[in-house]
Amino acid sequence: MGLLSTLTLLNPLSAFAQDGAAMTAEQSDPIKLGWMVGAPPPDDKIIRFTDPDYFSFPKLRWTVCHFRELMPTVNVSRGIGDPVPFAAKVDPAIDALTFTPLGGDGTMTWAESLDANFTDGIVVLHDGVVVYEKYSGCLTELGQHGAMSVTKSITGLLGEMLVAEGMIDETAEVASLVPELADSAFGDATVKQVLEMTTNLDYSEDYSDPNADVWTYGAAGNPLPKPADYTGPRTYFEYLQTVRKAGEHGGAFGYKTINTDALGWIIARVTGKSVAQLLQDRIWSQMGAAQDGYYTVDSIGTPFAGGGLNASLTDLARIGQLMLGNGAINGKQLVPEAAIARIRAGGDVDAFAKAGYDLLPGWSYRGMWWITNNAHGAYMARGVHGQSIYVDPEAKMVIARFASNPQAGNAANDPTTLPAYEAVGEYLLGQ
Amino acid sequence: MGLLSTLTLLNPLSAFAQDGAAMTAEQSDPIKLGWMVGAPPPDDKIIRFTDPDYFSFPKLRWTVCHFRELMPTVNVSRGIGDPVPFAAKVDPAIDALTFTPLGGDGTMTWAESLDANFTDGIVVLHDGVVVYEKYSGCLTELGQHGAMSVTKSITGLLGEMLVAEGMIDETAEVASLVPELADSAFGDATVKQVLEMTTNLDYSEDYSDPNADVWTYGAAGNPLPKPADYTGPRTYFEYLQTVRKAGEHGGAFGYKTINTDALGWIIARVTGKSVAQLLQDRIWSQMGAAQDGYYTVDSIGTPFAGGGLNASLTDLARIGQLMLGNGAINGKQLVPEAAIARIRAGGDVDAFAKAGYDLLPGWSYRGMWWITNNAHGAYMARGVHGQSIYVDPEAKMVIARFASNPQAGNAANDPTTLPAYEAVGEYLLGQ
């Protein structure tokens, strides 16, 4: 088990195994706890990449803002021109909006929901104007925060962009694009199946099982030197080649990170650019970003397409605004409208239902975005510990949130997140 | 010796030991050599942090632009406002300016000197206006490059700033500011002796000696996990406490990186901010920077004050312009004029002469800047492999250069650098 403690490293999903916290958001505030303060910090306030709990609560509340201080990363440049700030007209009424948590019978206010979800930063845009913006925990407007699996939706956006532009045929089998994957489970999957995660992979993300595949995956992506007796895969790409099928593709949605890294490989092979470089060239340096973003990387510099993006809060919101604008932001069409239309059209609801998400009835998954199929046609990017982009086309609303919820799975925060987002959407629709 | 190969990691001076290159700048161009291109790159084109030669020529020509992709780093934010670009009036006559290399009898043009020094990027400012700007090798205007020991001059600038502001008494002994250093060589050194590197330290930077202290220092600062049987210091701060005196302080200049890290510790203790945070707050976010900068860090997140800064070329030039402006840039006084005056006044010429730099007769060292004492009152920040900031107050000229000369020591490039810089200074004085 010695290696396992360092295997959690690059796979942010690793904290799934951990128990809920007894500490509140205020009690676990990373600034109040004094992590990494001092020259040197006191021994019990130091967080190292090699700590088995570096990404467990409460340390994770510091780590989510400081991934680059623990591991190698690759930059996503905003360019060197002027940022394009959002206009702002803060609406003080939002804090008092109320909603009923899923499965509950009381009510909660928007303001109360923020600490309930260990929010580190949240911004609400209405028709491109900031109506709400708040930072807490480790985050400031100058900081960057791990987007976790929100990264998947951005990789998916790049994929749908290339499909819409004719650079990738979504009906093509993966083996025809990345021959190295021919003998793997991905070989005879179509790009569309990868984009919708309806591949059927013999791959477990059960973190309570020390033999689960996710540990091998974490070891492969870990940029630290491997032990002398290590014989497993040493990169994301090497790992992906080892994945086997569990049955026919196309039948059911199965949310597995490795689909996104397979898509990242496809994108890199087709364009000659890593997802980090392509994101920079096509979107980040064109969208008026306030800050550079960055990806964590493996030992050969491959960006973690499934979960490695870090960004500022307003830049996360810019991605949401780009989606709301059907691929355009600040008057520039950066992504074909058809790509966004494909995502908004949603995926196979029946296939999604088979995955058993009790809190997400009637949802689907398309282009690595989560489609609510609610009355507003809202859709989301979702990452562990509460990261989210929520796009409500009907209300012309975008919500971007970074968080450090002790619980990794979004089932822990959805009850006080989804109805809260919908309540603000309803409110803004009436403005 | 197994550990040694990974000990070179964070100490960029490690390549001092290496022989000169047979390849020209063009032959060793990292883009042409195809380092790290492909998904994955071919085996023989991959550069890893754990490669013993990752910072040796020709790989170093890629590495100097990509430190963050190999190791953990901490950001130095430019803020989120608009950058303040330099005005530009490019002067095509500069390329043809000629000079006589030191110790030579022929002439060389400015344009020829660039490849001779394996220049990755160079900008010349005249009275704050760009008159020359060129990128090659691994660098573009969107990229960042290791500043190597130019970092020392920036740490020194912060130190002189705090002295000028009365936050640090330069006559104080280090032990009074950082009690942990009381029993080390630094304990009874004054801050001024540290700033001028006239401490007398039992410390060898002889890279040809496998038992030299610099290897222990490199191991201490290396952020990678230590081998199980490792018993040495694990951080920069731990190492500094082990350094012993070789004699009385104050007699001779001795260029040793650990002085700068001791100064970094003093700065952190006095201000409560790391050098990265202080640089960000006081200078980087205030100077109209085009890009964030970053520092490499050790295993507890301490920025490498002696050599870890990475920056864009124009931001390096902004530091030079701040110096030329006696602490002001874009009309803002960021550093007290007195701090720059102290540096420009220079250090002890006799103490400097004892260090035996044949190519730098009559020079001195003050506030961790190299003072030429030439007719123009020029002074420099200098880093291995050719990094430099050259400030010529008389000609109102700043030159910022990033390079990847196969030879680490500046003695290798000074003959085609110093007279070239002086020639441009003479030319601009007449404009």
Side-chain angles (χ1 to χ4, degrees), chain B residues 110-346:
Chain B
W110 171 262
E112 289 166 345
S113 77
L114 302 186
D115 270 0
N117 292 317
F118 296 77
T119 302
D120 295 325
I122 192 161
V123 61
V124 181
L125 302 176
H126 184 212
D127 207 5
V129 176
V130 172
V131 294
Y132 195 91
E133 184 172 3
K134 188 169 183 182
Y135 296 89
S136 50
C138 59
L139 195 63
T140 71
E141 65 175 359
L142 296 187
Q144 295 154 308
H145 193 291
M148 316 319 291
S149 291
V150 167
T151 309
K152 292 181 175 65
S153 302
I154 290 170
T155 306
L157 174 61
L158 294 174
E160 293 289 1
M161 177 183 81
L162 296 171
V163 170
E165 292 174 345
M167 289 279 288
I168 295 179
D169 172 4
E170 69 175 336
T171 68
E173 291 190 354
V174 171
S176 70
L177 300 171
V178 182
E180 296 96 320
L181 287 173
D183 295 334
S184 78
F186 298 102
D188 67 349
T190 64
V191 174
K192 188 169 192 294
Q193 286 164 341
V194 171
L195 274 162
E196 299 181 12
M197 294 205 193
T198 56
T199 50
N200 196 339
L201 309 176
D202 181 11
Y203 177 86
S204 161
E205 288 193 6
D206 176 1
Y207 295 87
S208 62
D209 174 6
N211 295 313
D213 307 288
V214 66
W215 300 113
T216 315
Y217 187 52
N222 186 329
L224 292 177
K226 302 287 186 283
D229 59 353
Y230 179 84
T231 57
R234 291 170 176 271
T235 66
Y236 291 122
F237 294 152
E238 284 187 13
Y239 182 82
L240 294 173
Q241 297 172 67
T242 70
V243 180
R244 298 290 163 251
K245 285 174 79 169
E248 288 308 297
H249 300 309
F253 171 61
Y255 184 70
K256 294 178 177 179
T257 299
I258 52 176
N259 282 295
T260 313
D261 289 297
L263 178 62
W265 198 353
I266 294 167
I267 289 171
R269 185 59 56 81
V270 167
T271 65
K273 298 178 179 182
S274 73
V275 290
Q277 186 71 47
L278 186 67
L279 178 63
Q280 171 178 304
D281 292 352
R282 293 295 305 271
I283 296 178
W284 217 264
S285 66
Q286 308 295 320
M287 71 177 186
Q291 294 193 44
D292 294 348
Y294 68 83
Y295 282 87
T296 57
V297 295
D298 69 9
S299 64
I300 62 167
T302 306
F304 181 23
L309 181 66
N310 291 253
S312 81
L313 180 63
T314 65
D315 290 332
L316 196 73
R318 282 178 176 85
I319 295 292
Q321 188 63 26
L322 176 74
M323 301 298 293
L324 182 68
N326 296 308
I329 185 169
N330 304 322
K332 292 160 71 177
Q333 190 78 37
L334 303 184
V335 175
E337 194 167 350
I340 316 300
R342 291 168 53 83
I343 292 167
R344 291 181 58 184

Side-chain angles (χ1 to χ4, degrees), chain A residues 123-144:
Chain A
V123 62
V124 182
L125 302 177
H126 184 213
D127 207 6
V129 176
V130 172
V131 293
Y132 195 93
E133 184 172 4
K134 189 169 181 180
Y135 297 89
S136 50
C138 59
L139 195 62
T140 70
E141 66 175 359
L142 296 187
Q144 296 154 307

Side-chain angles (χ1 to χ4, degrees), chain B residues 78-126:
Chain B
R78 65 167 200 91
I80 56 173
D82 295 347
V84 182
F86 291 112
K89 189 179 173 188
V90 170
D91 184 344
I94 291 175
D95 266 332
L97 295 177
T98 58
F99 63 91
T100 302
L102 298 179
D105 48 11
T107 61
M108 179 179 270
T109 65
W110 171 262
E112 289 166 345
S113 77
L114 302 186
D115 270 0
N117 292 317
F118 296 77
T119 302
D120 295 325
I122 192 161
V123 61
V124 181
L125 302 176
H126 184 212

Side-chain angles (χ1 to χ4, degrees), chain A residues 13 61 93 122 139 144 154 158 172 180 189 203 205 218 232 261 269 271 274 327 332 347 350 352 357 394 402 412 418:
Chain A
L13 303 175
R61 301 209 67 203
I122 192 161
L139 195 62
Q144 296 154 307
I154 290 170
L158 295 174
E180 295 95 320
Y203 177 87
E205 288 192 5
D261 289 297
R269 184 59 55 81
T271 65
S274 72
K332 292 161 72 176
D350 293 335
F352 188 92
Y357 290 89
E394 187 71 15
F402 284 129
L418 299 178

